[in-house]
Amino acid sequence: MPPDESLVVVTGATGYVGGRLVPQLLARGHTVRCVARRPEELSDRLWKDEVEIIQADLSRSDEVEFALKGATAAYYLLHSMSSSDDFAEVESAMAEQFALTAESEGLRQIIYLGGLGHDGDDKSDHLSSRHRVGRLLASGKTPVTELRAAVIIGSGSASFEMLRSLVEVLPVMVVPKWVSQTLCQPVGITDVLDDLVHVLERSEFYGKTIDIGGPDVVTYQDMMHAYARVAGLRRRRIVPVPVLTPRLSSHWVNLVSPLPIQLARPLIDSLTSDVVVTDEGGGCARGGVNQSLEESIGYAMSSVQGQELPTRWSNDRRTSDEFGAAAPDRSDPSWAGGRIFVDKRQLFAVCDGESVMRVVRSLGGNTGWLAFNWLWSVRGFVDKLLGGVGLRRGRRHPTELRVGDPLDFFEVVEVRPDLLRLRAEMKVPGHAWLEWRVSQSQTGCLVEQKAVFVPRGLWGRCYWLALVPAHAVIFKRMLKAVVREAER
């Protein structure tokens, strides 16, 4: 079977980088084959019907041959973050087999995403294994393009999620001394993807090793301060001490971060070596300059689990595709995407959905909120004292709403026949939304009311938890009042 000129194999398609790379390749007209040990993990991807998905265990030679049959290029994005003792041997054996099979199948290029760092440095076992895999892939006759990156900044990246949880939760941190000494050159996920796509089927990159990184060379302490600045948090107090080993640090991270300790431990172990760009490419295979650290953090923070945050990064992003790569994806693990609190309530109404939405669209202003209006007034007064907008703005029209309208201390961000979504503009330590959605049935409609809160820092979490008892009463009473008014 002659190779398909545009058939590209993506291994590790269920992973963080691989899952975001596939739509980039499809957008550029490539035919893509995704290889996964558990194909069912790709069932929720929006692009699943546009690719060929095959099941293969790449530790088995016959299945590697099956995976590469008829392709011209392959992305090698496999990496074990397991803390098992034999992970290096497993990775090496897989790389050797992949290189042999690629040669026998006549592939023109292997593209491998490895880790930054000097080959002669005293590196962690995981970083050493990354470099060894690159050498083994290049030991065959198939040209290999190896891109080396350090910390990748983007929602869903394990390194970024660890950074996010530490800075968000801890105003004061006791850290190992290397946090303030070890140098790193982080890079945004959008720049990583652009470079991975750029080097595909370009002969000038065959046999090349390219360091990629952003323009900022920083310590991990600097990264924490940068996150705090972008997130609008107070500068974190970081106290380096010489007694915390990587293993002890992983237990500390496990207490405040949602990352599994099996993932946090090798990550932290890898952070003890300097990882900076050393080649002449300037940190970018495409030429030019990648996003700065604060830009990359800003794009990664512009959305939290599908909730777009009103930041300058979301309002001034370069393209929607770039924002999408840095934002959460539906396939990301449960620990990714940032913290979010939700108060969700449902009630069945014996009337049509339009009657319910007519009541919902009339809330606020002179109508009030149908439950505990005096508490809403108190909250508006407190907001004015804090320098917020309060309740004085009212609303533009007593019954009609359109996107952008002020509604007391909310702004209308989405209005449809079956949905109203408001974003809070009051002074709160985070971002808040209030929304109603109706689902019509033959006997009535189901009304869903949801309050969503994305906290900012430890105070944001405390704020929401302190209001849980009040929300339980107010939001329950408000939904009942909306349904009762609609049924009347």
Side-chain angles (χ1 to χ4, degrees):
M1 173 182 174
D4 186 330
E5 289 297 313
S6 65
L7 178 57
V8 180
V9 171
V10 178
T11 66
T14 59
Y16 174 66
V17 175
R20 284 161 167 78
L21 175 64
V22 170
Q24 303 287 329
L25 295 172
L26 292 172
R28 289 162 174 80
H30 294 285
T31 302
V32 178
R33 175 186 294 159
C34 295
V35 182
R37 184 175 295 179
R38 293 180 293 273
E40 62 274 11
E41 293 184 9
L42 297 175
S43 61
D44 60 347
R45 307 298 173 103
L46 296 177
W47 39 261
K48 66 181 185 299
D49 295 329
E50 303 177 55
V51 302
E52 177 190 3
I53 299 176
I54 66 171
Q55 181 176 9
D57 182 348
L58 297 186
S59 64
R60 299 172 57 91
S61 59
D62 57 332
E63 297 191 21
V64 178
E65 181 179 347
F66 175 60
L68 298 183
K69 183 71 67 175
T72 56
Y75 284 92
Y76 194 86
L77 304 175
L78 303 175
H79 178 42
S80 171
M81 290 301 287
S82 168
S83 57
S84 61
D85 294 335
D86 63 344
F87 79 92
E89 288 77 10
V90 172
E91 289 191 335
S92 296
M94 290 176 62
E96 284 184 296
Q97 184 59 59
F98 198 88
L100 288 172
T101 308
E103 182 178 329
S104 65
E105 291 297 321
L107 262 68
R108 292 202 294 261
Q109 185 186 23
I110 297 173
I111 301 173
Y112 169 59
L113 180 61
L116 271 178
H118 295 292
D119 288 327
D121 286 347
D122 182 17
K123 300 183 294 294
S124 70
D125 291 341
H126 282 266
L127 194 53
S128 296
S129 180
R130 301 295 282 155
H131 288 190
R132 188 183 307 113
V133 166
R135 291 193 298 271
L136 291 171
L137 289 173
S139 63
K141 294 182 180 179
T142 305
V144 173
T145 304
E146 180 178 353
L147 301 181
R148 291 183 171 183
V151 172
I152 297 177
I153 303 296
S155 184
S157 162
S159 300
F160 176 75
E161 295 299 342
M162 185 168 64
L163 172 73
R164 181 192 336 233
S165 57
L166 286 172
V167 180
E168 287 277 349
V169 175
L170 299 175
V172 179
M173 283 175 263
V174 178
V175 300
K177 63 179 180 180
W178 48 260
V179 169
S180 62
Q181 297 173 348
T182 303
L183 296 178
C184 175
Q185 199 159 347
V187 61
I189 180 61
T190 57
D191 290 319
V192 173
L193 296 176
D194 285 346
D195 276 357
L196 285 170
V197 174
H198 180 75
V199 301
L200 176 61
E201 297 178 348
R202 291 178 181 261
S203 59
E204 64 268 31
F205 294 109
Y206 289 179
K208 299 287 187 181
T209 297
I210 305 164
D211 292 351
I212 59 176
D216 304 296
V217 178
V218 295
T219 65
Y220 294 99
Q221 177 174 295
D222 295 332
M223 290 177 61
M224 293 177 182
H225 289 319
Y227 183 97
R229 286 194 299 273
V230 175
L233 301 171
R234 290 185 178 181
R235 183 178 175 87
R236 276 20 197 164
R237 181 168 177 78
I238 300 173
V239 183
V241 295
V243 295
L244 280 177
T245 65
R247 181 167 290 270
L248 286 173
S249 300
S250 66
H251 288 291
W252 174 240
V253 169
N254 189 49
L255 291 175
V256 298
S257 168
L259 270 74
I261 191 170
Q262 296 87 350
L263 182 58
R265 183 169 294 160
L267 275 177
I268 294 172
D269 191 40
S270 300
L271 300 182
T272 57
S273 304
D274 288 344
V275 280
V276 296
V277 172
T278 58
D279 66 16
E280 298 178 356
C284 180
R286 311 178 312 280
V289 179
N290 290 329
Q291 292 175 355
S292 69
L293 173 60
E294 291 198 9
E295 283 180 310
S296 299
I297 292 174
Y299 288 121
M301 291 180 57
S302 293
S303 179
V304 173
Q305 297 187 24
Q307 307 292 330
E308 283 202 36
L309 306 186
T311 70
R312 65 189 181 99
W313 307 102
S314 60
N315 297 331
D316 191 32
R317 57 185 181 268
R318 292 184 292 177
T319 72
S320 59
D321 286 343
E322 290 173 335
F323 175 64
D329 186 85
R330 64 170 64 190
S331 61
D332 287 342
S334 59
W335 44 260
R339 192 70 172 92
I340 187 171
F341 294 105
V342 179
D343 182 293
K344 181 179 177 181
R345 302 176 186 277
Q346 293 180 329
L347 199 60
F348 191 81
V350 188
C351 62
D352 60 279
E354 172 55 31
S355 298
V356 174
M357 294 310 296
R358 190 180 302 118
V359 174
V360 169
R361 289 193 294 266
S362 68
L363 292 174
N366 293 331
T367 301
W369 295 88
L370 301 185
F372 297 100
N373 280 330
W374 65 273
L375 282 178
W376 290 87
S377 298
V378 170
R379 182 63 180 90
F381 177 72
V382 171
D383 193 54
K384 289 296 288 184
L385 292 178
L386 296 175
V389 295
L391 293 178
R392 293 183 183 177
R393 297 187 307 171
R395 50 182 297 153
R396 177 187 57 85
H397 188 277
T399 58
E400 295 178 0
L401 290 176
R402 60 191 180 195
V403 174
D405 274 358
L407 182 57
D408 292 346
F409 37 49
F410 292 97
E411 178 189 4
V412 179
V413 292
E414 190 172 3
V415 55
R416 302 200 311 252
D418 64 338
L419 172 71
L420 175 64
R421 194 160 192 251
L422 310 176
R423 183 171 61 217
E425 294 189 313
M426 65 187 78
K427 292 287 186 179
V428 290
H431 303 278
W433 295 263
L434 189 58
E435 68 176 54
W436 293 264
R437 187 187 301 266
V438 295
S439 303
Q440 193 67 51
S441 70
Q442 292 183 344
T443 57
C445 66
L446 183 66
V447 188
E448 179 184 283
Q449 176 183 280
K450 189 161 61 174
V452 180
F453 184 67
V454 177
R456 185 173 63 246
L458 180 61
W459 170 232
R461 288 159 170 78
C462 295
Y463 170 84
W464 175 268
L465 294 175
L467 289 177
V468 165
H471 286 168
V473 177
I474 295 171
F475 289 142
K476 180 180 180 180
R477 185 81 61 84
M478 182 166 64
L479 179 58
K480 284 185 175 180
V482 166
V483 170
R484 183 173 61 248
E485 191 69 20
E487 289 176 341
R488 288 176 54 188

